[in-house]
């Protein structure tokens, strides 16, 4: 049986409240034991699982698709935060919604018609996020800000885990904080560790994607807790 986004009665969060949340990125997990790695961070208290989908076109890498997400859905109550680094996000919204995504983020760089993408995602019952690359200006998303649930600021060039944090994006984080309301999440993705998470939290981010710094640690649960603490203590 395939779980759907409507089976959401038991989710750990709906992301509507503002608090510091670390979202472990599946990309850095052990792909031979995804179920176990997901359970480790969930037991540690993670409410959000970040799912990086790459198509080999928008980014020079290929990761996984809706099939993997659908297999994880029945074994986790975490909020599935799907980050589409793909061209034609509207075309695939239904597949990622049916796989069990709670929210689907698309990149503004792939479309001239963001409203069409937003409608395609909403139609299938998911929350909507929009992402901007490190050098993409926030005026490209200004008009659609009232329509999204989350803004994702990339602090590395999308495509690979394990890259270094680009600090210049913190200016955009601070500007976005002022433009978003308390129901909207401000997420940062790439190069997040115990030091950079504090900078991002101070700038106004509330949701922090962490791949390498969680699953690359010998004790991912302890790493998750350290990062959460570092974010909480920074503000
Ligand atoms: C990069 C992805 C990230 C990635 C982050 O394209 O969007 O979510 O998993 O990995 P780390 O935390 O290792 O920088
Ligand atoms: Zn991501």
């Amino acid at each position: 049986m395939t779980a759907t986004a409507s089976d959401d009665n038991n989710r750990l969060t709906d992301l509507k409240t503002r608090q510091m949340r670390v979202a472990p990125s599946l990309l850095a997990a052990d792909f031979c034991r995804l179920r176990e790695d997901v359970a480790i961070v969930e037991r540690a208290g993670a409410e959000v699982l970040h799912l990086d989908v790459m198509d080999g076109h928008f980014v020079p890498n290929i990761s996984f698709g809706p099939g993997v997400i659908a297999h994880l859905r029945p074994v986790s109550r975490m909020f599935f935060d799907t980050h589409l680094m793909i061209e034609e996000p509207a075309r695939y919204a239904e597949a990622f919604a049916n796989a069990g995504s709670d929210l689907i983020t698309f990149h503004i760089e792939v479309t001239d018609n963001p409203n069409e993408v937003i409608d395609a995602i909403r139609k299938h019952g998911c929350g909507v996020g929009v992402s901007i690359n490190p050098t993409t200006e926030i005026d490209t998303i200004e008009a659609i800000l009232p329509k999204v649930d989350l803004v994702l600021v990339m602090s590395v060039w999308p495509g690979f885990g394990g890259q270094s944090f680009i600090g210049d994006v913190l200016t955009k984080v601070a500007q976005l904080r002022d433009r978003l309301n308390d129901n909207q999440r401000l997420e940062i993705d790439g190069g997040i560790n115990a030091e950079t998470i504090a900078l991002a939290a101070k700038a106004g981010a509330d949701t922090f994607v962490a791949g390498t710094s969680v699953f690359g640690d010998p004790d991912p649960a302890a790493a998750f807790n350290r990062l959460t603490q570092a974010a909480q203590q920074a503000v």
Side-chain angles (χ1 to χ4, degrees), residues 120-154:
I121 296 170
R122 286 244 185 263
K123 189 166 83 185
H124 295 105
C126 291
V128 178
V130 66
S131 182
I132 51 174
N133 276 343
T135 58
T136 301
E137 302 290 343
I138 62 175
D139 57 11
T140 59
I141 55 170
E142 191 98 53
I144 57 163
L145 286 182
K147 299 182 73 175
V148 301
D149 303 293
L150 175 148
V151 176
L152 170 53
V153 175
M154 290 306 302

Side-chain angles (χ1 to χ4, degrees), residues 28 37 40 211-224 226-227:
D37 276 2
I40 286 169
T212 309
S213 62
V214 170
F215 289 114
D217 193 282
D219 186 345
F224 169 83
R226 273 198 308 275
L227 286 166

